[in-house]
Each structure stands twice: as C-alpha cells, then as structure tokens.
Amino acid sequence: MNLFDYSIDVSHMVCFPSLKSLCHTQVDLFDKEYLPLLLANCPALEDLTLERYHDDNIGAVSINVPSLKALSIHIESGCSSDGVEIVAPSLTYINLEDRSNKHLLIENMLKLEVAIH
C-alpha cells in the first residue's frame, strides 16, 4: 500500500544534504534526468533502495554516489531498462535483482564485502 502518491518536477529539485537513507520504490520516472539529479543532491547518502517496474521507461539507471555504502536494486522483467551503471567507491554491500537481462557496469567498488545477485 502506498502512503503517498507524488511527482517531482526535476527543474525545481531540492537538496537533502543530511539524508543518509533513501528507499525509492513505486515512483513513476518520466524523466531520465530525475534520478541522477536527485542522487547528486544527496551528498551524504549511504543506503539506497531502488525499484523499477514495467511501466518505468526512462532507460539506463546511473548511480554515481561516492558516499554510498549499501545498495539494493530491483528491476522487473518488463521494465525498459537500458542497463545499470554504478559508481560507488564506498560501497560495501550490493543486492542486485535485475530481471531485465540488460548490461551492468560497475566501477570502482574496492570496499565491496557482500554481493547478492
């Protein structure tokens, strides 16, 4: 059950300088610039959960968060994902469930301790 239904205008993005944990589920993504802008405005983010479903058609997922320590991604098979790119040098935990069978690019994860696929 969703407690909130909302949309965010990326041209008026807000900054969350102290946000440590973000659970981004059941959000309709209509603009490919939305997620990178949101993540760029969360400089202290350490824990991210991201879910993409079949009606999400923004293409590739790009996660570039230097402070990120834990990442969980769920991508449904009907999602029109063009793949996932992850740049997170502080990452120690990743749980990736990608049913779209697209490409995965992971860079600079020297501290990774746990990976679940």
Side-chain angles (χ1 to χ4, degrees):
M1 171 187 255
N2 284 341
L3 296 177
F4 303 102
D5 287 326
Y6 62 90
S7 63
I8 296 175
D9 180 357
V10 294
S11 66
H12 297 93
M13 187 62 71
V14 295
C15 185
F16 300 105
S18 301
L19 187 68
K20 299 270 189 192
S21 182
L22 176 63
C23 185
H24 194 275
T25 62
Q26 297 184 356
V27 177
D28 291 333
L29 301 177
F30 299 109
D31 187 326
K32 67 181 179 178
E33 298 299 320
Y34 163 76
L35 188 60
L37 282 173
L38 176 64
L39 296 177
N41 285 307
C42 300
L45 191 64
E46 294 180 357
D47 184 1
L48 173 63
T49 299
L50 177 66
E51 294 183 6
R52 296 184 66 199
Y53 293 97
H54 60 79
D55 54 351
D56 176 354
N57 60 2
I58 64 163
V61 173
S62 179
I63 298 170
N64 187 344
V65 184
S67 59
L68 198 62
K69 294 180 181 178
L71 175 62
S72 296
I73 300 176
H74 173 84
I75 301 175
E76 283 292 318
S77 60
C79 182
S80 63
S81 174
D82 291 335
V84 178
E85 178 182 355
I86 302 167
V87 179
S90 299
L91 204 65
T92 60
Y93 171 88
I94 186 170
N95 182 348
L96 178 62
E97 185 178 347
D98 185 354
R99 295 182 179 161
S100 69
N101 296 317
K102 301 294 181 174
H103 76 275
L104 173 65
L105 176 61
I106 299 175
E107 295 182 12
N108 198 13
M109 293 196 319
L110 301 175
K111 297 180 180 181
L112 190 64
E113 296 174 5
V114 177
I116 301 170
H117 184 0

